[in-house]
Amino acid sequence: MDSADTDWDGVRLHVVTGKGGTGKTTVAAALALALASGGHKVLLVEVEGRQGIAQIFDLPPLPYEERRIAVAPSGGDVYALAIDPEEAMLEYMEMFYGMRRAGRALTKMGVVDFATTVAPGFRDVLVTGKTTEAVRRRGKDGKRVYDAVVLDAPPTGRITRFLNVTQEVAGLAKVGPIKNHSDLVHGVVKSPETAVHFVTLLEEMPVQETLDGIAEVRTAGLATGGIFINMVRESLLPQATLDAAAQGRFDIGDLALGLKSAGLADGADATSLAEGLAEEIVEHARRTELEQQERESLGEAALPRYELPLLTDGVDLAGLYELAESIRTQGAA
Amino acid sequence: MKKPAVLDIDAILDDRGTRIIVCCGAGGVGKTTTAAALGLRAAERGRCVVVLTVDPARRLAQSMGLTELDNTPRLISESDGGGQLFAMMLDMKRTFDEIIEAHADPERARQILSNPFYQSLSSSFSGTQEYMAMEKLGQLRRSNEWDLIIVDTPPSRSALDFLDAPERLGRFLDGRFIRLLTAPAKAGGRSAFRLLNAGFGIVAGAMTKLLGAQVLTDLQTFVSALDAVFGGFRQRAELTYKLLQAPGTAFVVVAAPERDAMREASYFVERLAEERMPLAGLVVNRVHESPAATLSGVRSAAAAEDLAAKGEHELTAAVLRLHTGRMQLAAREHREQEHFVSAHPTVPVAQVAAMAEDVHDLEGLRRIGELLANAPG
Ligand SMILES: Nc1ncnc2c1ncn2[C@@H]1O[C@H](COP(=O)(O)OP(=O)(O)O)[C@@H](O)[C@H]1O
Ligand SMILES: Nc1ncnc2c1ncn2[C@@H]1O[C@H](COP(=O)(O)OP(=O)(O)O)[C@@H](O)[C@H]1O
Ligand SMILES: [Mg+2]
Ligand SMILES: [Mg+2]
């Protein structure tokens, strides 16, 4: 084990949320790899039934079973689990009540399906129940089985309801084991061992959603984690050039000379090509400026921020390790 | 790329026979923006339009004065030609409540509305939003106050949800468990458990043990009350579905030039054909073109390296690298569109360039409208 301090030492449940499509699954997977690296054991959990983990690690669909799916850089293992609420329910009834037969009957008659459909709170409590059980689980040696659990969670709009199970279930089940169970989940989720991370892009809607989500999570008394700014484009131009270009100022003459020197165009052709390119630069500069404004908006939340690069060829396994490395060097894991 | 047919937006907007336009597509591609832009353009071409939006970006909603979720259309703008643009934001819970109130006697309505299962279903069933969007569309159409209704569809991951959700809710309400729960009511209100088989006894026992007795009672009250209401509801959903197949309806499928979104658009186009729902065409939104497209990415990259090797014109080299990236992006977007076009060669397509900024006012919507109509202003 390495002893380097990270920003989230002491956190065992990392909940990763964000607006749909911003890269929750990708970031959760990279974070799991980063946390595992250096000889740790990490469980990556998904709950939306999309088999996103299998896809990203290029594996066949995952069963409802914890299995090792990847080895982290410099040792360490990532396990994965795709939680199916119905299976979680059966397991739970058998484990605590020895009611396997009743559980099967409930499933067969469509009760579980029914209950989890009308009342997503039930579904959530089963899913978070399984997740927090993995967080609390101890081996024969009395130590926790997993050093960390990373949850690829529902999107920002649903995250507070999802984590605030006690409240969601309270209206439906006022007494009984489900209620007790949800209290247990609540204990883990509200403890300092849990942190909710947000994934965003430097665009208006995801940033707005992130800020709203952070406020909501805080109001609910849950601990916020970091902000992972995903798909960040590197800027190739000097800041002074960008600043001028954002105001519409860009020296075409100089550019035309450069184009000529590179043997791309000459005379009037060089000028017209330079004009086209200048237009491109101005647009790029404006977007960079807007992105900077979004960065500043995110600053209002006063949370640690990490930037992950846009991988131009999409996310493959190598790309995932690259993101994990970036997460580590920035101190998030 | 094989040239697709051009989507003639103005012809569709100007055709008085067009009564409903549905904007659908994967999440985040620009459905809401497209719906609002089409609405504005139609109004400025003289039509009386209402846009039913589901989740406008906050600044767009503010600039249109849609700050309250009140389920009533607001006048947004009027044009010289007599056209008017109204817009409203869907309040799904309220729409659901209103259906209950309209279909059940006051006592029963009260029972349903205060039931915890109803509250959960009406605010968070994944599909309620789609169902209620359909319901609201039906209501607007029946009111006959507008000659064009433009519907934005809910922000689900999959575009197909819009078509599937109502049926799913219907199927769900016809499910076996629901029938079991409602059986006693139909048999004259005797106790549920005596009438039913042993299987149900086990189930009821387990549920009571797990959730407490109150839950089962709540559930039964909810289901039997809802059952009385839903016959009419299902029928209405079927009518709305028929409306979507009518000749006055035009589906506009929106996609971003990315793999997942284009694939989603493909599925949707095929599904519309199966359902015999009229497709107007595909809008490819947020397309990146280069104003210096004569310089290929490959040449640009080579020239940048050449300059770097010579150690001169550092800035030009950086500009060329940036241009290379831009050309690569444009090429990728082209390929994604090509797949769609070769699979659906007859579907008309319109392209809308990516703006440098988000679209959050009428000016921005007007600009998008011009691009949609391929009529740069
Ligand atoms: N840093 C990145 N660079 C390039 N592509 C990315 C990056 N992060 C995510 N993606 C891509 O974006 C898409 C959405 O990512 P995903 O993790 O599935 O998002 P979510 O789980 O939030 O819906 C996927 O196609 C993924 O490969
Ligand atoms: N052509 C465009 N150029 C730039 N930004 C756009 C364009 N179309 C949409 N947007 C922006 O993208 C975001 C998502 O658009 P929206 O219409 O809300 O998508 P959807 O309704 O499909 O989820 C909004 O912030 C919107 O302003
Ligand atoms: Mg995901
Ligand atoms: Mg929308």
Side-chain angles (χ1 to χ4, degrees):
Chain A
M1 303 232 173
D2 60 357
S3 55
D5 280 346
T6 75
D7 295 350
W8 309 104
D9 284 347
V11 171
R12 285 181 181 273
L13 175 56
H14 297 263
V15 179
V16 180
T17 186
K19 182 171 158 59
T22 53
K24 281 184 301 299
T25 304
T26 306
V27 172
L31 180 60
L33 277 174
L35 288 164
S37 111
H40 303 271
K41 188 170 170 181
V42 175
L43 179 66
L44 174 60
V45 175
E46 88 176 307
V47 298
E48 302 250 274
R50 297 221 173 89
Q51 290 290 343
I53 297 177
Q55 247 173 53
I56 209 169
F57 283 96
D58 208 5
L59 298 168
L62 296 169
Y64 180 63
E65 179 188 292
E66 289 159 41
R67 54 166 65 172
R68 197 172 72 153
I69 57 157
V71 176
S74 54
D77 294 313
V78 175
Y79 284 69
L81 171 67
I83 299 186
D84 173 57
E86 210 158 281
E87 291 284 343
M89 171 99 174
L90 288 177
E91 184 185 66
Y92 170 80
M93 289 182 70
E94 181 167 19
M95 194 153 31
F96 293 95
Y97 303 99
M99 296 200 304
R100 180 124 201 119
R101 203 165 77 90
R104 290 258 170 251
L106 285 178
T107 315
K108 233 179 81 197
M109 297 188 107
V111 179
V112 179
D113 191 35
F114 175 86
T116 53
T117 308
V118 243
F122 281 145
R123 186 191 187 86
D124 293 347
V125 82
L126 290 168
V127 164
T128 47
K130 179 67 192 170
T131 308
T132 50
E133 182 272 319
V135 174
R136 284 180 284 122
R137 195 186 308 154
R138 290 178 192 270
K140 290 195 188 75
D141 56 1
K143 290 206 186 114
R144 307 262 198 149
V145 169
Y146 291 109
D147 295 298
V149 174
V150 178
L151 175 60
D152 177 11
T156 332
R158 242 169 51 70
I159 193 66
T160 308
R161 290 191 106 162
F162 175 77
L163 293 173
N164 236 347
V165 279
T166 326
Q167 208 171 1
E168 284 303 307
V169 174
L172 299 165
K174 295 187 181 62
V175 291
I178 286 269
K179 169 76 172 70
N180 299 342
H181 180 68
S182 72
D183 288 346
L184 201 59
V185 171
H186 198 61
V188 173
V189 169
K190 280 243 171 146
S191 81
E193 289 197 340
T194 296
V196 184
H197 304 293
F198 292 80
V199 181
T200 186
L201 309 178
L202 289 174
E203 290 176 15
E204 201 171 306
M205 276 176 96
V207 165
Q208 187 62 54
E209 234 178 73
T210 299
L211 293 172
D212 292 350
I214 290 171
E216 233 183 271
V217 160
R218 281 183 171 146
T219 307
L222 304 166
T224 44
I227 299 175
F228 289 82
I229 304 176
N230 193 20
M231 305 196 211
V232 176
R233 268 174 290 244
E234 57 171 339
S235 192
L236 300 160
L237 301 176
Q239 192 58 45
T241 311
L242 286 172
D243 288 344
Q247 307 297 318
R249 279 182 280 118
F250 190 81
D251 187 352
I252 292 179
D254 220 32
L255 184 57
L257 283 178
L259 294 174
K260 189 174 168 202
S261 163
L264 285 174
D266 221 339
D269 283 353
T271 309
S272 87
L273 181 56
E275 274 165 2
L277 289 171
E279 207 181 305
E280 218 168 271
I281 298 306
V282 167
E283 209 187 288
H284 168 79
R286 293 228 163 100
R287 206 183 50 230
T288 308
E289 191 179 56
L290 286 172
E291 288 174 353
Q292 189 51 34
Q293 283 166 15
E294 298 303 340
R295 247 187 215 101
E296 280 158 23
S297 299
L298 287 170
E300 288 165 21
L303 293 179
R305 282 173 287 160
Y306 313 102
E307 303 215 352
L308 302 178
L310 172 75
L311 303 171
T312 37
D313 298 323
V315 182
D316 54 7
L317 215 48
L320 206 55
Y321 279 91
E322 188 183 327
L323 296 178
E325 179 56 28
S326 167
I327 286 175
R328 269 171 58 79
T329 46
Q330 293 178 71
Chain B
M1 173 160 82
K2 218 175 130 256
K3 275 258 179 273
V6 175
L7 174 59
D8 189 348
I9 282 291
D10 284 344
I12 295 168
L13 298 181
D14 292 346
D15 179 354
R16 297 275 154 172
T18 309
R19 301 298 305 274
I20 294 175
I21 296 177
V22 186
C23 296
C24 40
V29 293
K31 295 180 292 295
T32 303
T33 308
T34 304
L38 287 175
L40 182 62
R41 191 165 180 88
E44 295 187 340
R45 298 175 75 85
R47 301 204 59 179
C48 182
V49 194
V50 62
V51 177
L52 168 56
T53 90
V54 179
D55 63 331
R58 187 170 305 171
R59 278 174 69 186
L60 178 64
Q62 276 166 356
S63 77
M64 295 202 297
L66 290 180
T67 41
E68 263 171 89
L69 197 79
D70 60 1
N71 240 1
T72 15
R74 294 282 167 98
L75 181 63
I76 306 296
S77 79
E78 281 179 287
S79 67
D80 303 337
Q84 287 181 312
L85 174 64
F86 288 80
M88 66 166 285
M89 245 194 297
L90 177 75
D91 179 342
M92 78 171 171
K93 174 144 179 37
R94 186 139 158 188
T95 307
F96 209 152
D97 291 354
E98 283 167 8
I99 298 174
I100 301 291
E101 282 160 357
H103 285 255
D105 58 73
E107 172 52 20
R108 201 186 276 273
R110 201 193 48 75
Q111 256 181 27
I112 301 180
L113 295 183
S114 63
N115 187 288
F117 280 93
Y118 171 75
Q119 286 167 359
S120 179
L121 177 71
S122 61
S123 58
S124 51
F125 177 64
S126 66
T128 302
Q129 214 173 25
E130 282 84 358
Y131 210 142
M132 293 309 139
M134 284 268 208
E135 168 66 25
K136 201 75 207 170
L137 167 62
Q139 289 175 11
L140 290 172
R141 183 67 179 80
R142 282 189 296 274
S143 82
N144 222 0
E145 281 179 58
W146 292 276
D147 68 18
L148 178 61
I149 304 166
I150 302 185
V151 213
D152 168 27
T153 52
S156 51
R157 178 115 162 174
S158 154
L160 295 175
D161 280 354
F162 181 63
L163 294 178
D164 291 335
E167 202 208 315
R168 197 164 60 227
L169 187 56
R171 207 169 45 231
F172 166 71
L173 290 162
D174 277 334
R176 183 166 171 207
F177 182 57
I178 294 247
R179 275 186 284 128
L180 275 179
L181 285 174
T182 50
K186 283 176 179 157
R190 273 181 288 155
S191 156
F193 313 125
R194 247 179 302 147
L195 273 167
L196 293 164
N197 55 32
F200 191 69
I202 295 179
V203 167
M207 287 185 70
T208 307
K209 194 161 175 187
L210 279 175
L211 303 164
Q214 182 61 35
V215 170
L216 203 58
T217 316
D218 280 348
L219 195 54
Q220 268 184 312
T221 318
F222 164 66
V223 166
S224 54
L226 210 58
D227 190 59
V229 169
F230 255 92
F233 191 11
R234 224 168 296 158
Q235 221 172 6
R236 281 157 82 101
E238 272 162 28
L239 285 178
T240 311
Y241 215 75
K242 287 223 177 69
L243 205 58
L244 295 180
Q245 294 170 322
T249 298
F251 277 85
V252 170
V253 179
V254 185
E258 289 158 12
R259 181 158 313 157
D260 294 352
M262 293 303 290
R263 199 180 291 155
E264 193 69 31
S266 258
Y267 290 146
F268 199 76
V269 162
E270 285 156 22
R271 180 63 191 281
L272 286 176
E274 274 169 37
E275 304 282 340
R276 287 174 291 114
M277 290 181 176
L279 170 69
L282 173 76
V283 169
V284 185
N285 188 30
R286 303 186 91 163
V287 174
H288 296 85
E289 296 288 353
S290 165
T294 50
L295 177 58
S296 77
V298 177
R299 274 185 77 212
S300 180
E305 260 182 48
D306 182 37
L307 286 179
K310 285 194 274 185
E312 55 183 39
H313 292 286
E314 216 174 297
L315 187 59
T316 304
V319 169
L320 289 171
R321 278 192 208 102
L322 208 73
H323 178 68
T324 305
R326 176 77 173 232
M327 292 302 283
Q328 284 168 345
L329 177 62
R332 234 182 356 257
E333 291 184 354
H334 248 263
R335 276 198 300 278
E336 298 306 340
Q337 292 180 67
E338 239 161 34
H339 290 182
F340 181 93
V341 171
S342 54
H344 307 280
T346 58
V347 175
V349 177
Q351 286 172 326
V352 174
M355 306 278 113
E357 262 188 84
D358 270 4
V359 183
H360 29 53
D361 50 20
L362 291 185
E363 199 38 61
L365 290 177
R366 193 169 289 125
R367 179 83 195 108
I368 297 281
E370 285 160 4
L371 291 170
L372 276 166
N374 205 358

